[in-house]
Amino acid sequence: MSTEDPAAGTPRAARAPGPKEPSGVDLARVALRAAKEQARARGDAARQKKQARRGGGLRSGARADGRDPLKLGSAINRLITERGWETPAAVGGVMGRWPQIVGEDLAKHCVPQRYDEDERVLVVACDSTAWATQLRHLAPALVARLNQDLGQGSVRMIKVLNPGGPARRYGPLRAPGSTGPGDTYG
């Protein structure tokens, strides 16, 4: 049989002498350590908030950093690079330099309309079927030249659009239901 401690209600053999309960001085040390940790955490949070307001903790000074103003061209180039718009921007530049690329005569009659980035197709509209045929014959050489300027594989194909019919004219002398001068030719 085991002897029981009547005050504790547990057997004496089961109770092992463990760490003693913290006394007044030890309790004060524990409370002081907890207060210091809380103050440090509050200070770190306030410091982070202040750095976020100042722009990520960068210090101002005489040297350049990420917060300095940029020239417009540099800012646009950075935006194009960050967003991955290099190819569409380059093709847009080609549309602006179209007369230098294809020649003045062809540029007067054939105008680039749009660029499909997914298909890598440049769509060009011509003002007559003769110029559309001429551009179709020149298309492989133009694709090679464009890829040389823009980077290999930027333009896979040039799609040539034929000219549309004459402009639709509406007026009081038209027959009801008529689609214009084109409805008698075909």
Side-chain angles (χ1 to χ4, degrees), residues 3 23 35 44 54 80 104 107 110 138 142 171:
T3 59
S23 65
D44 288 343
R54 276 195 287 155
I80 287 171
E104 292 294 327
C110 302
L138 293 174
L142 284 175

Side-chain angles (χ1 to χ4, degrees), residues 91 94-96 98-99 102 107 110-115 122-125:
V91 171
V94 164
M95 290 182 180
W98 185 251
V102 299
C110 302
V111 179
Q113 297 293 311
R114 65 185 172 276
Y115 174 71
L122 180 65
V123 179
V124 180

Side-chain angles (χ1 to χ4, degrees), residues 51-62:
Q51 286 176 348
R53 272 188 262 134
R54 276 195 287 155
L58 300 173
R59 300 194 185 275
S60 67

Side-chain angles (χ1 to χ4, degrees), residues 78-145:
R78 188 164 127 191
L79 179 69
I80 287 171
T81 303
E82 287 173 357
R83 302 279 172 104
W85 295 338
E86 290 92 358
T87 302
V91 171
V94 164
M95 290 182 180
R97 295 181 294 126
W98 185 251
Q100 290 86 15
I101 293 172
V102 299
E104 292 294 327
D105 291 337
L106 193 60
K108 288 178 187 175
H109 302 283
C110 302
V111 179
Q113 297 293 311
R114 65 185 172 276
Y115 174 71
D116 183 5
E117 186 177 358
D118 297 330
E119 299 291 325
R120 297 189 315 261
V121 174
L122 180 65
V123 179
V124 180
C126 297
D127 62 0
S128 72
T129 55
W131 285 106
T133 303
Q134 181 71 19
L135 186 62
R136 283 189 186 96
H137 288 297
L138 293 174
L142 284 175
V143 168
R145 181 156 181 201

